[in-house]
Amino acid sequence: MSIRFALLSAATLAVLAQAAAAEQNLSKRATVAADATVDVSNVQGNVLVTAWDRNEVELTAVLESDKDQLEFEATDRGVRIKVQRPDHHRYRDEEDANLTLKVPKGVRLMIDTVSADITVDGVRGEQRLESVSGTVETRAYDQPLSLHTVSGEITVAGSGGKAPLTTENISGATIVSGIRGAYEGQTVSGTIDASIAAVQRLDVETVSGDADIKAELVPGARVEMESVSGELSLIIKPPVDAEFDIESFSGDIDTCFGAQPRDKSKYGPGSELAFTQGKGGSRVVIESLSGDIRICDR
């Protein structure tokens, strides 16, 4: 073995040993009520939550920086978990804090991250999940969900329950499937792609973003969609029994049933359309400032 190779090997081993020494592997456990509140805060890395049948919260934390501090406070009614980073310390990009939790199925879950991804599986209680640049992924049951991210992607898969869902993102994509009942979605320069069954209330707003909605309307449903400069598409599962009030200031309106749109002005842009399809009962209001609008039943 050459002296140069030996020195390089020794230097490499020293770096690996230093990195291993810096990494913190921690575990915590607490007994809680089945409907306790679990509050999690993380800066960078990920938060993975899985539900189980025990009335316990189990946390496994891998902190890749020795400067991170893990706070864990627990009572029978709630658990608070926070990764604390000193403001004065400079971190490398790869220094993540990865949290893996097992929680009772019925907990109320509150997670707040900066650039950490959030993944939740099997939690049936209320969820409020927020991230700045991380992705948010969860499953909906019967309790309310509120999901927010700035530049990350939101993915929600329904289970056939009637959980009211609220999503909000900026420059990211929102993908919703299998939801029933009520959905409220907002995006700025992002996209919304949602499929909702048995809709009672649907409220979608976009700014410079597109929304593609597939919905089944129950009698008396209320649908409101609004866009500043994005395209809006609403596909309704037949039969369609609703009153429609549609308006676009400078975009086109395209329909595959009912009446045809008319120009708002003989000399200016824009079109509008108002009609009743089938028995009526539900109400659909769609407005766009400069984007196209499309409604169809197929």
Side-chain angles (χ1 to χ4, degrees):
M1 179 184 294
S2 68
I3 295 177
R4 181 181 179 185
F5 182 78
L7 291 174
L8 287 174
S9 298
T12 301
L13 291 173
V15 170
L16 292 174
Q18 184 179 6
E23 183 176 278
Q24 303 179 66
N25 290 272
L26 309 170
S27 61
K28 302 288 184 178
R29 183 187 291 265
T31 300
V32 298
D35 60 348
T37 297
V38 177
D39 190 337
V40 182
S41 178
N42 194 9
V43 178
Q44 178 177 311
N46 62 63
V47 179
L48 173 61
V49 182
T50 304
W52 62 358
D53 293 326
R54 303 179 187 178
N55 288 346
E56 294 179 329
V57 171
E58 181 183 85
L59 168 65
T60 301
V62 178
L63 312 182
E64 296 179 353
S65 171
D66 59 356
K67 300 299 189 296
D68 283 344
Q69 295 182 355
L70 178 68
E71 298 179 3
F72 185 92
E73 301 174 357
T75 67
D76 61 335
R77 297 304 309 166
V79 174
R80 176 181 173 272
I81 300 167
K82 183 175 182 179
V83 177
Q84 187 72 39
R85 290 195 157 179
D87 294 335
H88 65 274
H89 183 69
R90 297 184 63 183
Y91 290 84
R92 300 189 303 271
D93 291 339
E94 67 272 15
E95 289 182 325
D96 291 339
N98 300 316
L99 308 180
T100 302
L101 290 93
K102 294 181 179 179
V103 301
K105 293 179 180 179
V107 298
R108 180 172 180 259
L109 190 60
M110 303 171 65
I111 302 178
D112 185 6
T113 72
V114 179
S115 59
D117 297 337
I118 302 171
T119 304
V120 179
D121 183 24
V123 174
R124 289 166 170 76
E126 180 182 352
Q127 300 177 46
R128 191 182 74 190
L129 314 178
E130 300 183 7
S131 181
V132 176
S133 60
T135 63
V136 177
E137 181 176 354
T138 189
R139 190 169 183 85
Y141 292 89
D142 291 312
Q143 297 303 312
L145 280 77
S146 178
L147 314 177
H148 302 263
T149 183
V150 175
S151 58
E153 182 175 289
I154 296 174
T155 304
V156 186
S159 62
K162 296 183 178 180
L165 171 65
T166 300
T167 67
E168 182 177 350
N169 71 358
I170 301 175
S171 72
T174 296
I175 302 172
V176 176
S177 63
I179 301 299
R180 298 175 62 87
Y183 172 56
E184 179 179 347
Q186 298 181 359
T187 186
V188 178
S189 69
T191 60
I192 297 176
D193 186 346
S195 177
I196 309 102
V199 170
Q200 297 173 332
R201 178 70 183 179
L202 174 64
D203 191 343
V204 174
E205 297 181 12
T206 76
V207 178
S208 302
D210 300 337
D212 186 355
I213 310 296
K214 300 176 181 63
E216 174 191 12
L217 306 184
V218 301
R222 293 293 179 265
V223 175
E224 294 184 9
M225 298 178 65
E226 182 177 351
S227 175
V228 174
S229 60
E231 296 185 357
L232 300 176
S233 173
L234 176 63
I235 309 299
I236 303 174
K237 182 179 179 179
V240 180
D241 296 306
E243 300 172 4
F244 291 85
D245 189 353
I246 306 171
E247 182 177 356
S248 179
F249 180 77
S250 62
D252 296 329
I253 298 175
D254 179 26
T255 68
C256 63
F257 61 82
Q260 293 302 306
R262 64 182 180 87
D263 294 337
K264 294 181 63 176
S265 171
K266 183 178 180 180
Y267 303 102
S271 54
E272 59 186 5
L273 176 61
F275 69 97
T276 299
Q277 181 73 5
K279 300 176 182 178
S282 297
R283 181 162 178 79
V284 178
V285 178
I286 305 177
E287 298 180 357
S288 176
L289 183 61
S290 61
D292 295 338
I293 298 173
R294 178 176 181 262
I295 58 170
C296 197
D297 60 352
R298 57 180 182 272

